[in-house]
Amino acid sequence: MNKSNKNNTITTLLCYLAVLLASVASVGIALYMQHAKGLQPCTMCIIQRYAFVWIGLCALFALFMPFRSARVLFSLTGILGAIGGAVAAARNLWVMSHPEILCGRDPVELFLNGLPTAQWFPKVFMSLGLCSDPIPPLFGLALPTWSLLGLIVLGALLALAIRRR
C-alpha cells in the first residue's frame, strides 16, 4: 500500500469516527434537553433522533468493515437516514413557524410510540410533546435548525468517506 492510499484510508476512518461521535453527542444533547431542561420531544424530534441513531450505527459498522463495498453500502444507508432526518427537521421548523398547525397526536405519533424501541426505551424514543410547543433557542438558533445543520454535515461526511479511495 502506498502512502497516498494509507492516508486516504486513515482519512476515511476518521470521517466515520467523527460521524459516530457526533451522532452520539447529538442524541446526548437531545436527552439532556429533554430530561434536564424539561423539553418533551415531538414526533418530528423523535424521527430526528432515530436518524442520528441510524447514522451513528451506519458509521460504526462502516468503521469496522474490511471491504470497501460494505463501507459504501453503510455510508449510503447513513446518507439516506440523514436525508430523512433533514426532512423531519425542515418539517419541524415549518410547523414551528406556523403554530396553528400541529404535528403531534396523529397516526405518526401513534406509530412511533408503538415501535419496540419506544417500548424498550421510552425515555429516549417516546414522543410526548408537540412541534408547536415553544422551545428556547440554543445559541440563537432553534433546536431543529441545529439538528438540520448537523444532519447535513453528517451526510456530507459520509459522502466524503465514500469518495476517499
Side-chain angles (χ1 to χ4, degrees):
M1 179 184 292
N2 67 27
K3 187 174 181 171
S4 176
N5 284 345
K6 186 175 181 180
N7 287 340
N8 285 339
T9 301
I10 291 171
T11 303
T12 299
L13 295 177
L14 286 175
C15 282
Y16 290 132
L17 185 61
V19 169
L20 174 61
L21 294 175
S23 296
V24 169
S26 297
V27 173
I29 291 168
L31 292 173
Y32 171 78
M33 297 301 281
Q34 177 182 349
H35 297 292
K37 298 295 185 181
L39 300 175
Q40 293 303 317
C42 68
T43 305
M44 295 297 124
C45 296
I46 295 298
I47 292 172
Q48 292 166 64
R49 271 188 207 180
Y50 276 116
F52 280 111
V53 169
W54 180 257
I55 293 165
L57 286 173
C58 288
L60 176 67
F61 292 136
L63 192 59
F64 293 107
M65 284 293 134
F67 304 109
R68 185 177 192 288
S69 59
R71 287 192 305 269
V72 168
L73 179 65
F74 281 114
S75 295
L76 290 174
T77 58
I79 291 169
L80 288 176
I83 291 169
V87 168
R91 167 92 172 133
N92 198 342
L93 287 167
W94 184 79
V95 170
M96 287 175 70
S97 68
H98 298 86
E100 67 278 2
I101 298 171
L102 299 177
C103 74
R105 314 292 185 253
D106 60 11
V108 176
E109 179 186 17
L110 295 174
F111 171 76
L112 287 174
N113 288 345
L115 290 173
T117 49
Q119 303 304 310
W120 298 332
F121 308 106
K123 293 185 181 220
V124 178
F125 294 113
M126 187 70 70
S127 173
L128 301 171
L130 297 172
C131 293
S132 57
D133 288 344
I135 300 172
L138 181 65
F139 302 114
L141 294 176
L143 291 179
T145 304
W146 285 111
S147 181
L148 179 62
L149 293 172
L151 289 160
I152 290 169
V153 168
L154 294 182
L157 280 173
L158 288 173
L160 179 65
I162 292 172
R163 292 206 66 219
R164 302 308 243 169
R165 297 177 200 256

